[in-house]
Amino acid sequence: MTGKNLYSLGLDGHDRLNNELGGGIPGGSIVLVEGDYGAGKSALSQRFTYGLCEAGESVTMLSTELTVRGFIDQMHSLSYNVEEHLLNENLLFLHADVDTGQSALRTGDEAKEGDRKQLLKRLMDAEGMWQGDVVVIDTFDAILRNDPKFEALVRQNDERQAALEIISFFRDIVSQGRVIVLTVDPSTVDDEAIGPFRSIADVYLELQMAEVGNDVRRSIAVRRFAGMGEQVGDTIGYSVRSGTGIVIESRSVA
């Protein structure tokens, strides 16, 4: 269902996330979800994935951390039961083993040793993964860090050139009305390397953590939301609960 105005995040009877984000993600958007380790990037991307599937969208999720078994177990722990969506093929899950370069994106054993880690190229060449209405990549920084071509350009202080090709590709995908969701841990990548992705994101969500006594309070700072200017600067408090998933705690307007 490409070309639609808004992709609902669903689960309206389960949590208030879709409502807090204005009813969904605009079609044709690049979404950047940024946060340090433990901030909840994976949980939020898993919530997006499950909710979108429940709302009837087709989703591809590429994880650099979870295998299929690990993904299903993790989703179960959040009460996001995805087996039916996987079996019905409206959810495609891929695992990318970026540390060895032997990712789900490889074209086979004939791939030469010298180019087996050209991860961004393999990402762009993996036609099947871009067929969904929404494509979620968790975590995108792991692909950037382990791609030697990107890394070499960054070492030459040519971050914008390094990002140009993949950003151009993303723009082509979302021009068809699709949505791309990228999660990034900014502590693992130089600001200059992630800067171009921040600049082009239509929706930019920054996950924050604050220790209050013995509690860790999590929040989503809405830095940018294309077409929803009144939401910029809003902070949505949330928690991640075993057996429940994402729970919206509070909302404050800066």
Side-chain angles (χ1 to χ4, degrees):
M1 290 198 301
T2 55
K4 65 192 295 182
N5 291 332
L6 214 56
Y7 287 96
S8 171
L9 295 171
L11 305 187
D12 290 329
H14 186 78
D15 61 40
R16 303 195 312 275
L17 182 64
N18 190 55
N19 183 56
E20 295 288 353
L21 290 175
I25 302 295
S29 294
I30 295 173
V31 181
L32 184 66
V33 179
E34 189 175 301
D36 291 336
Y37 179 80
K41 295 184 301 299
S42 290
L44 192 64
S45 67
Q46 289 156 8
R47 162 64 182 85
F48 277 18
T49 297
Y50 180 62
L52 285 158
C53 286
E54 288 285 291
E57 313 301 348
S58 60
V59 181
T60 298
M61 183 168 197
L62 176 71
S63 173
T64 61
E65 297 174 346
L66 296 173
T67 61
V68 175
R69 180 74 258 169
F71 173 67
I72 292 172
D73 289 346
Q74 173 69 17
M75 295 296 263
H76 261 294
S77 76
L78 299 171
S79 290
Y80 300 154
N81 300 321
V82 291
E83 288 92 336
E84 190 176 337
H85 295 300
L86 288 165
L87 291 170
N88 291 340
E89 297 185 351
N90 58 316
L91 172 58
L92 171 63
F93 178 84
L94 299 169
H95 168 62
D97 188 354
V98 295
D99 291 329
T100 64
Q102 296 176 342
S103 75
L105 307 173
R106 289 192 71 194
T107 54
D109 291 334
E110 74 279 1
K112 293 177 184 173
E113 186 75 13
D115 67 1
R116 61 195 282 230
K117 278 193 169 184
Q118 298 286 347
L119 296 174
L120 289 171
K121 183 178 188 306
R122 294 193 179 283
L123 193 72
M124 292 185 279
D125 287 346
E127 292 181 14
M129 74 169 281
W130 302 104
Q131 299 306 308
D133 298 319
V134 181
V135 178
V136 180
I137 303 178
D138 179 44
T139 53
F140 184 58
D141 59 275
I143 293 173
L144 296 181
R145 283 183 286 112
N146 287 281
D147 184 283
K149 183 179 176 185
F150 188 89
E151 191 182 45
L153 284 167
V154 168
R155 277 203 305 270
Q156 296 164 27
N157 295 317
D158 203 354
E159 291 83 3
R160 201 155 288 278
Q161 181 61 38
L164 197 62
E165 186 180 6
I166 187 71
I167 285 174
S168 176
F169 176 80
F170 286 163
R171 278 288 179 222
D172 284 345
I173 296 293
V174 300
S175 72
Q176 303 164 35
R178 294 185 165 91
V179 170
I180 296 174
V181 180
L182 308 171
T183 74
V184 172
D185 180 345
S187 69
T188 68
V189 189
D190 286 346
D191 268 0
E192 291 78 9
I194 204 63
F197 297 97
R198 286 179 181 142
S199 298
I200 57 97
D202 304 287
V203 176
Y204 177 20
L205 307 177
E206 186 181 358
L207 306 189
Q208 302 173 332
M209 293 184 294
E211 289 188 22
V212 181
N214 293 326
D215 291 338
V216 176
R217 294 190 181 172
R218 291 181 167 85
S219 60
I220 304 167
V222 183
R223 300 298 187 201
R224 189 182 308 128
F225 208 109
M228 307 288 279
E230 72 278 6
Q231 289 191 332
V232 175
D234 278 16
T235 299
I236 305 165
Y238 77 101
S239 60
V240 182
R241 298 184 191 171
S242 179
T244 305
I246 296 285
V247 177
I248 301 301
E249 302 284 3
S250 61
R251 181 190 179 103
S252 62
V253 180

